[in-house]
Amino acid sequence: MALKRMDNVGIVVDDLGATIDFFRELGLELEGRATIEGEWAGRVTGLGDQHVEIAMMRTPDGHGRLELSRFLKPPAVADHRNAPVNALGYLRIMFAVDDIDETLERLRNRGAQLVGEVVQYKDVYRLCYIRGPEGLLIGLAQELS
């Protein structure tokens, strides 16, 4: 059997509401919220007894999803939010946007901070990294025509 698709990317956060608001401002749609708990969930994650609030966000094209999780039990045990771009492991998520300047302006109102600067790669893209809610590293790419 062949791989069908990438279903979602998961991010653990402390403030689920503020993070949902940030990604809504970026343009993702809240698909749903739920509380996950029980023996079956602990078997999947290897965490045993767990209690997690989740929110599933969907990209406008309907193909990409972002699962935001807030662990109530057990609590989060590590924090990678301030890792630099060259840190090992999963680090950032990149979104394609129509207008990088307009997007930055909207997201700054939600606390986003530019990591470096907006740069142009050849005649193909304008790119930047921002720190979003809770220091999450997010890439923005504007395709140039």
Side-chain angles (χ1 to χ4, degrees):
M1 261 176 116
L3 177 72
K4 292 172 73 173
R5 68 179 177 272
M6 184 187 80
D7 195 60
N8 69 66
V9 172
I11 299 176
V12 177
V13 301
D14 279 329
D15 189 336
L16 190 58
T19 308
I20 290 169
D21 290 344
F22 180 88
F23 283 110
R24 273 186 168 157
E25 186 67 43
L26 180 58
L28 277 73
E29 178 182 326
L30 178 63
E31 192 171 65
R33 288 181 76 159
T35 300
I36 307 296
E37 59 185 323
E39 179 266 337
W40 70 271
R43 287 197 342 260
V44 172
T45 62
L47 294 176
D49 188 24
Q50 68 180 36
H51 186 187
V52 185
E53 295 177 320
I54 68 162
M56 191 65 75
M57 309 288 298
R58 183 179 54 238
T59 57
D61 66 2
H63 295 292
R65 286 181 175 72
L66 188 61
E67 181 181 309
L68 305 173
S69 301
R70 178 176 169 255
F71 277 81
L72 304 172
K73 179 181 174 187
V77 296
D79 192 339
H80 304 287
R81 292 176 288 190
N82 294 315
V85 173
N86 61 343
L88 295 174
Y90 296 106
L91 184 65
R92 63 128 176 98
I93 187 164
M94 176 76 73
F95 292 99
V97 298
D98 288 331
D99 183 332
I100 206 165
D101 297 316
E102 184 271 334
T103 302
L104 279 172
E105 189 60 36
R106 284 188 298 108
L107 296 179
R108 280 186 176 121
N109 293 329
R110 295 266 181 202
Q113 296 178 334
L114 194 59
V115 170
E117 59 186 84
V118 178
V119 299
Q120 185 164 323
Y121 173 71
K122 300 185 179 182
D123 292 330
V124 182
Y125 286 104
R126 290 184 71 218
L127 304 160
C128 71
Y129 285 168
I130 60 173
R131 289 279 178 188
E134 302 188 31
L136 297 173
L137 188 60
I138 298 165
L140 301 175
Q142 176 186 340
E143 196 170 5
L144 303 173
S145 334

